[in-house]
Amino acid sequence: MAGVASTYDEPVRIAVIGGTGIQSLPGFTLAASLKVDTPWGEPSSPISILHHPSPSTGKPTPIAFLSRHGLHHELAPHEVKNRANIAALRSIGVRTIIAFSAVGSLQEEVRPRDFVVPDQIIDRTKGIRPFTFFEGGMVGHVGFGDPFDTSLAKIVRRCGHSLEGEGVRLHDTGLLICMEGPQFSTRAESNLYRSWGGSVINMSALPEAKLAREAEIAYQMICMATDYDCWRGGPDEDVNVEMVMGHMKANSENARRFVGAVLDELSKEEHGQLVLAKHLEGQMKFAGAMTHKEARGPVEQKLQWLFPGYFD
Ligand SMILES: CSC[C@H]1O[C@H](OP(=O)(O)O)[C@H](O)[C@@H]1O
Ligand SMILES: Nc1ncnc2[nH]cnc12
């Protein structure tokens, strides 16, 4: 990009991952566009560093923005460069991610254009996406009982509620089904997920959330419903891309306001420790050091890159 810096000297702590219909975050000042190479390859898109004025100090807080499906939505859900995305964000200092996703609703009360802050996930991906940093000679296990960061979730919910009455409808919790795709579900699958108590469905939460946890990054997804999948009506009402994009476009202003409110709040000094994910710091030093030094395989070098000093 002509005239835009390709480096950024300060660590960037907060990132937004944009999904379907959110390939950029207008209204912020573009300070740099970074091409980060990682041992897992290049991320889905260059990382934009945006300046966001902190409401408490007035100083600009840098925010990293990454477009999950590429700058022009060229990556299918199973082609998203999840490991490179998370590794690249961690390498520039990111410890908090707000991820955005267009989802199908599995419940009547979750209406198209409603927002949901999910608190649980059921994994219905098919194991074809690379889903861990810990393979190829170093074994690591990390807790995932709460797949989203519970402290971050509280802030996100508060911000969403502050916009209620201005066109934003928010559901505080939800069970997110993450399916493989790219084809949408069958009616039988959609009804099965409803019988499990599923609230919403997408194709992108995993392995993104798992990799963020492995990378010691606090992660919360904000979902926006765009359809009722295929359980509710006849074939005429089934989800299709036009429907998803139509609702995303019509409600994009609210989505941006929601993300903006969360960034305003996270930029406050009082959230400094949370934004640095101090509660997760160091967990992989032990979880990832299971494999005896002499027995480690070639992945060790990659993990040294991701966690400098952890596995010396
Ligand atoms: C275009 S509909 C299916 C597509 O939409 C969602 O994308 P994202 O989560 O990145 O907003 C869903 O996960 C699928 O990838
Ligand atoms: N019905 C649906 N299924 C999976 N992902 C989606 N994203 C938006 N709507 C969806």
Side-chain angles (χ1 to χ4, degrees):
M1 222 177 287
V4 176
S6 57
T7 58
Y8 194 79
D9 290 340
E10 303 291 316
V12 181
R13 301 306 186 189
I14 305 171
V16 174
I17 299 183
T20 295
I22 305 203
Q23 266 108 266
S24 63
L25 266 191
F28 296 85
T29 311
L30 181 63
S33 176
L34 311 182
K35 285 201 162 153
V36 185
D37 198 12
T38 82
W40 294 273
E42 286 180 11
S44 294
S45 76
I47 298 176
S48 303
I49 306 300
L50 308 170
H51 276 176
H52 176 72
S54 160
S56 57
T57 64
K59 260 177 42 193
T61 305
I63 306 291
F65 180 84
L66 195 150
S67 178
R68 180 183 291 128
H69 300 281
L71 287 182
H72 310 285
H73 206 122
E74 62 272 24
L75 299 169
H78 62 285
E79 295 171 325
V80 171
K81 321 262 185 211
N82 287 295
R83 288 194 296 195
N85 291 351
I86 299 296
L89 290 174
R90 181 177 165 101
S91 77
I92 63 165
V94 167
R95 297 294 183 270
T96 290
I97 293 177
I98 301 296
F100 207 88
S101 176
V103 298
S105 165
L106 296 170
Q107 300 295 336
E108 187 70 44
E109 67 272 17
V110 179
R111 306 198 298 238
R113 304 190 194 177
D114 283 6
F115 293 92
V116 180
V117 180
D119 60 332
Q120 277 300 330
I121 311 182
I122 289 180
D123 189 353
R124 285 280 300 166
T125 63
K126 299 285 166 77
I128 62 173
R129 310 174 181 191
F131 49 79
T132 180
F133 291 114
F134 290 86
E135 61 179 6
M138 273 182 83
V139 178
H141 301 281
V142 73
F144 202 55
D146 287 310
F148 300 105
D149 190 90
T150 50
S151 308
L152 188 56
K154 282 184 192 152
I155 294 178
V156 171
R157 288 182 189 119
R158 238 189 4 250
C159 293
H161 284 303
S162 75
L163 298 173
E164 267 171 346
E166 297 173 53
V168 170
R169 258 172 59 95
L170 178 69
H171 302 265
D172 267 338
T173 56
L175 168 55
L176 169 62
I177 310 288
C178 183
M179 63 173 292
E180 183 57 58
Q183 303 83 359
F184 292 112
S185 306
T186 65
R187 237 176 283 292
E189 287 165 340
S190 200
N191 281 313
L192 176 70
Y193 303 148
R194 275 167 54 70
S195 78
W196 289 349
S199 315
V200 287
I201 182 163
N202 76 359
M203 306 175 188
S204 311
L206 298 175
E208 196 172 87
K210 288 186 176 176
L211 293 165
R213 180 63 53 83
E214 284 188 348
E216 301 178 346
I217 296 175
Y219 177 97
Q220 179 63 52
M221 183 165 260
I222 300 177
C223 298
M224 197 195 96
T226 51
D227 55 89
Y228 278 114
D229 202 36
C230 61
W231 59 270
R232 190 165 171 264
D236 291 354
E237 290 178 48
D238 287 358
V239 55
N240 59 44
V241 168
E242 203 181 345
M243 199 183 276
V244 172
M245 299 313 281
H247 285 295
M248 273 312 302
K249 198 166 173 214
N251 213 28
S252 65
E253 192 48 40
N254 279 333
R256 294 208 173 90
R257 281 169 56 229
F258 195 164
V259 173
V262 173
L263 296 178
D264 272 353
E265 188 61 28
L266 291 177
S267 307
K268 292 182 181 164
E269 271 172 1
E270 65 196 83
H271 301 304
Q273 296 292 300
L274 169 65
V275 160
L276 282 170
K278 285 289 177 193
H279 52 301
L280 301 177
E281 192 173 293
Q283 67 174 13
M284 293 322 291
K285 206 168 182 166
F286 304 102
M290 285 189 71
T291 310
H292 195 279
K293 202 162 173 37
E294 273 69 60
R296 290 178 190 166
V299 81
E300 183 174 10
Q301 264 195 333
K302 294 182 174 185
L303 288 172
Q304 299 276 17
W305 184 92
L306 190 61
F307 300 107
Y310 269 29
F311 307 119
D312 295 340

